[in-house]
Amino acid sequence: MPGTLDGQVAVVTGASRGIGRACAVALAREGANVVVNYTSNEDAAKETQKALEALGVKTLVFKADVGKADQAKALIEAAEKAFGKVDILVNNAGINKDRTIQRMSADDWDAVVQTDLSSIFYTTSAAVGGMRERSYGRIVNMSSIIGQMGNIGQANYAAAKAGMIAFTKSAARELARFNITVNAVCPGFVETDMVSALSDDIKKTLIGNIPLGRFGTAEEVADTVLFLCKPSGAWYTGAQMNLNGGQYM
Ligand code: NAP
């Protein structure tokens, strides 16, 4: 059966694991060829690639630290060289380095802001030229509920994720005339490596604050990303898509 994204090319940053992998699989299921970006975990990236190839799409695995401008640009250039274009850019790569403000080092601050926020400027600025030429683009930025509510010990992460929302709104206004949409997805707590690293006590407290009484899944987040990339999402731009089990701060 033809997919709604047949022939399209998607770049997913941080697609070796977690939400990024689920996004790559969801896009491939609809027929998109996918560039799988990772920064250190090559085995996991290759596992993602295997899952995508089983769905019959073409893939490219590309190692790049998207928090570095030259590597982010190289990622987009490699995608364009391999597939001739980039239609969909999912800016998903992210890290956290949680400390209270007093204990947070400048390196902890810089690493999170570079990886989670500066990266989306680097990849987007590299990708929009081709998108403008073809008058088509779908950009989805993986923000977080933490960027909306703030959190103890996460000032760096919250600031970066809030910055992603502001970047999204600006880019949406700037690029709408070229039929390029830019949206942010703001998940609550999702069961991935990022959350499973927390202690059982913290997890229990977190779940206690979620009205639906459970963490989200990477696949649920990927469904929202997919919605924004399919024709169904064509009139969404500058949006913050909240999926958080009812945890509205
Ligand atoms: P995860 O399981 O820790 O996976 C992180 C992914 O990002 C991995 O593929 C990792 O690659 C990649 N990555 C990290 N730094 C990178 C860099 N500098 N350049 C390129 N890739 C990099 O995280 P996740 O939970 O799936 O989170 C994905 C995104 O969703 C993040 O932006 C996160 O902030 C956001 N989010 C997560 C949650 C949650 O509860 N899990 C909630 C809201 C928002 P390697 O495998 O090579 O390390």
Side-chain angles (χ1 to χ4, degrees):
M1 255 202 359
T4 51
L5 302 179
D6 275 352
Q8 293 203 22
V9 177
V11 173
V12 183
T13 70
S16 46
R17 295 182 279 125
I19 294 170
R21 177 185 285 179
C23 291
V25 168
L27 293 165
R29 237 180 233 133
E30 283 296 328
N33 298 318
V34 183
V35 178
V36 175
N37 160 250
Y38 72 103
T39 187
S40 58
N41 203 332
E42 188 178 3
D43 288 349
K46 289 204 163 142
E47 264 180 55
T48 302
Q49 182 180 37
K50 243 201 237 166
L52 302 183
E53 286 179 352
L55 294 165
V57 300
K58 294 187 192 129
T59 63
L60 173 72
V61 173
F62 197 87
K63 178 180 163 102
D65 175 350
V66 290
K68 301 212 163 78
D70 54 341
Q71 295 186 36
K73 192 165 173 239
L75 166 67
I76 301 299
E77 285 173 353
E80 288 175 339
K81 189 165 176 224
F83 296 115
K85 59 178 184 166
V86 173
D87 301 295
I88 296 168
L89 171 62
V90 181
N91 285 311
N92 164 80
I95 56 167
N96 59 322
K97 287 190 182 285
D98 300 351
R99 306 262 186 289
T100 55
I101 291 165
Q102 215 180 340
R103 289 172 179 228
M104 189 177 289
S105 67
D107 284 349
D108 293 335
W109 175 271
D110 289 343
V112 172
V113 170
Q114 279 300 121
T115 305
D116 294 36
L117 177 59
S118 302
S119 62
I120 76 170
F121 162 64
Y122 300 148
T123 53
T124 302
S125 59
V128 288
M131 288 179 174
R132 278 182 58 165
E133 274 169 27
R134 292 182 301 281
S135 296
Y136 185 84
R138 297 285 175 262
I139 300 172
V140 183
N141 296 322
M142 196 58 66
S143 180
S144 167
I145 190 176
I146 303 300
Q148 300 167 312
M149 67 181 235
N151 204 16
I152 295 170
Q154 293 199 296
N156 49 359
Y157 184 78
K161 293 294 177 187
M164 290 179 80
I165 294 170
F167 179 89
T168 298
K169 288 173 184 287
S170 302
R173 286 180 184 274
E174 202 172 301
L175 299 170
R177 78 193 90 150
F178 307 112
N179 189 31
I180 301 170
T181 66
V182 191
N183 291 290
V185 174
C186 301
F189 293 89
V190 180
E191 193 118 48
T192 65
D193 292 349
M194 198 174 261
V195 163
S196 58
L198 302 170
S199 74
D200 285 348
D201 276 355
I202 293 181
K203 281 194 219 169
K204 212 168 143 194
T205 308
L206 290 176
I207 288 176
N209 291 327
I210 302 172
L212 283 178
R214 65 170 177 86
F215 292 133
T217 67
E219 289 71 25
E220 286 169 322
V221 180
D223 279 347
T224 304
V225 171
L226 182 62
F227 168 80
L228 292 167
C229 296
K230 292 201 315 189
S232 50
W235 211 46
Y236 283 76
T237 198
Q240 296 172 58
M241 306 294 279
N242 298 319
L243 66 161
N244 52 34
Q247 189 181 4
Y248 286 97
M249 281 133 266

